[in-house]
Amino acid sequence: MAERLHARRARSNIPVTMGADELPATLRAALVGAIGERNLLTDPDLKASYEIDWTRRFHGRAAAVVRPATTAEVAAILRACSAAGRAVVPQGGNTGLVGGGVPRDGEVVLSTTRLTGPCSVDAAAGEIVVPAGTTLHQVQEAARDAGFDFGVDIGPRESCTIGGMIAANAGGVHVLRYGMMSEQLIGVEAVLADGSVIGRVPGLRKDNAGYHLAALLAGSEGTLGVVTRAHLRLTPAMPERAVALLGLDDVEAAVAVMRQVRPALPSLAALELILAEALDLVCRYAGVAAPLRGAHPVVLLIECAGQTSPREELLAALESAGGLVRESVAADDAAGVRRLWRYRDAAGEAINAAGVPHKLDVAVPLAAVPEFVARVRAAVAAAAPEARVAIWGHVGDGNLHVNILGLAPGDAPIDHDVLRLAVELGGTIAAEHGVGTQKTADLPLARSAGDLAAMRAIKAALDPRGILNPGVVVMR
Amino acid sequence: MAERLHARRARSNIPVTMGADELPATLRAALVGAIGERNLLTDPDLKASYEIDWTRRFHGRAAAVVRPATTAEVAAILRACSAAGRAVVPQGGNTGLVGGGVPRDGEVVLSTTRLTGPCSVDAAAGEIVVPAGTTLHQVQEAARDAGFDFGVDIGPRESCTIGGMIAANAGGVHVLRYGMMSEQLIGVEAVLADGSVIGRVPGLRKDNAGYHLAALLAGSEGTLGVVTRAHLRLTPAMPERAVALLGLDDVEAAVAVMRQVRPALPSLAALELILAEALDLVCRYAGVAAPLRGAHPVVLLIECAGQTSPREELLAALESAGGLVRESVAADDAAGVRRLWRYRDAAGEAINAAGVPHKLDVAVPLAAVPEFVARVRAAVAAAAPEARVAIWGHVGDGNLHVNILGLAPGDAPIDHDVLRLAVELGGTIAAEHGVGTQKTADLPLARSAGDLAAMRAIKAALDPRGILNPGVVVMR
């Protein structure tokens, strides 16, 4: 399949432009015609916030930022950029962590944050239709007003957009109960590189009329199309919550406790791991005391949620795991639940405040989690003795976030060592944050030659000039 | 995108062969080399059962039937057929209903029923790995032996294979609780037309390392690849069941009852509609009395399932809908549950025994179900007064199976009228049975020009010579 792809690329007679200092006059005129002067940003000050990511690790220069407000405007922009062979970087709330949503060198950034409008809830069906620029928080509010909730929750909920969450196939703290973003999709509308509009909103929960393009877009990171609208399933409201933090001796104990309590907790909503270094960063950052009296190497957060209080169920399950739990604290009132979650939620902000971290998001089979943690620590200690490793994550899914602080610019090879280790233990190099520009070169670790060739063929089929997010996911 | 596709097809210098009476000697030799004489069937008697579907409506001639036992054998067959430009029809348990798994004219049928071997259950994770030729019943037994169940259940469970169920994205009676086949997939291994192997088994529940090829294969009906192995999630065992059949005056009442009881039934596992004509067919076929004393135009089946008995929950919910229910019967013992389900389960066999039905599987929004039923009946009465319409289906998903008996061979236009009506009411022409050869020409009713072009582009990218199931899903 590789040969076909090369043949096709060679026939493309308009090279994709990156690195040019200015937009050519014809492209500029077409973009102004599509969205007006006002929504074509070329002033460096106005472009600046679109050119750097939240961690400050990934940044580049955009030739322009375009801010469409409708599907038709997105289509007109992509037609114009296709005709000019100009690379486009789609960007939602710019909360990505793998460099997939910021420009590298002279692309047009297509910001979807103006694709907004009413959130339309169908309360009888438990579904919602929203434009792609709607934030997660807005969806949560609309859902809660109608007596529902939304199945995916991630930290930057005030900023991240539904379109970006679909493109990234966002995960978060409730995947073990409700699945990832792809599992919330009833219908998706998107614009392909040539400006054609695909998908269906509203969609249907059961629809086998042809290929499931929405399922392919989920996790494609803006390389196959730009999501413009979505039809999502809502979940039943679970207003009653109970949270416990358990102090444990080691990661083995966390895995053992999880295996023990999980079958006894139908109301389980989250299982999060916080290793001591991460907890320490949070306490310093937030200026709060540690949640437990003792200094435990490992803290496991367990959340249960239901329509009636899951408190008794949680306490009974913890009792059954008693021998492994050195100390615990629990809450089932709103303020207490918020306070305990803060030790996990603030980890991202805390580490960003302490420096510019290398952030690696991997998943391994549950049984391999202890070995993975031990070997990551050893590898970093050997390669960069001054570096600090802070690990937390959605351990219920085998998903860990490895954060490394204090690396010198030349220390990037440690990233690859960590990813290689995850694969060696039966895991993946990208669990929920995606591939972005960060891991594109590492993708052959996780995907076979057949997979990579099929991905390149699909990319070439839907974006033959390669204008959509070049350098992300698919290697040229 | 259409132009690109044509350009690519024109460059293919080996036309796909159909309609030839014999395999060319080189292809025959290559196939024998791949799987041995014994598993290359060319004797008409041996081929016969692979050449006609279960309803006897769809049939054709196969040049040969090949029966590989391993992924490597599937790859060798597809490489040989690609080289010879010979069309291949993948076939699982041959329980499809839309003509997507039987030959049309001279293709090679690739039967996956010998892709068998141990079912490997991971009880700690609640997951199973199986070869694609494993039947649904075998998966259910392996799951139940380990204290779990499988989320998808369909009537022909003794015959249908996991590979075929993935290719068809099978639905069935529990979709409202556990989702369709695509939602059970953790990893899928498949072979593309050129013999390359894609996918990963075992997979990971959270894996965003590149495009989700498994999600694209689900529902692609053997046109993009041949599934060879699968890693599936299991569901918690729900041994306690309660079922009720409700006699109602009309379809409006069924929709009203569903809206009323659904929020009060967290243990809901199935919501099935059986209209009087279908119930009558079942009673005659099975030689049993009707389940209710009165002759009601509409019967609604409600099933609840849990780890503890859902009987009280079901009865309380029914009480709340009392004004609409003319008569009801319920059971929560195994024999009684089986007996009540039989009135729904036997509908397919019953109608096949009565003739060769036209079977149409559609979904419409719940609110449109009553209008759809009324207008289908009126349309059939007007177009073919002697025909009989029997309707049943997974009404909890808005999914209805329209079965028309007694149509003359020239009456196929009524099929298109029914599909057009579903789309007019906001629905789809294929809810869970797929497109097959039956509905390929109707696909433009349900999918936009942009979608169809994208589907053709993906098909051409992964199967550039078009050897995999030509005529199914994607129009040439």
Side-chain angles (χ1 to χ4, degrees), chain A residues 247-267:
Chain A
L248 304 167
D249 287 345
D250 49 35
V251 181
E252 284 82 354
V255 171
V257 168
M258 284 165 56
R259 290 206 197 276
Q260 174 78 31
V261 301
R262 206 163 168 166
L265 289 177
S267 65

Side-chain angles (χ1 to χ4, degrees), chain B residues 452-472:
Chain B
L452 294 171
M455 287 168 53
R456 282 192 300 265
I458 290 169
K459 168 71 172 171
L462 297 185
D463 179 17
R465 287 173 182 166
I467 68 157
L468 277 174
N469 230 359
V472 170

Side-chain angles (χ1 to χ4, degrees), chain B residues 86 106 123 183 276 328 336 349 363:
Chain B
R86 171 69 63 155
E183 289 165 73
S328 70
E349 298 159 44

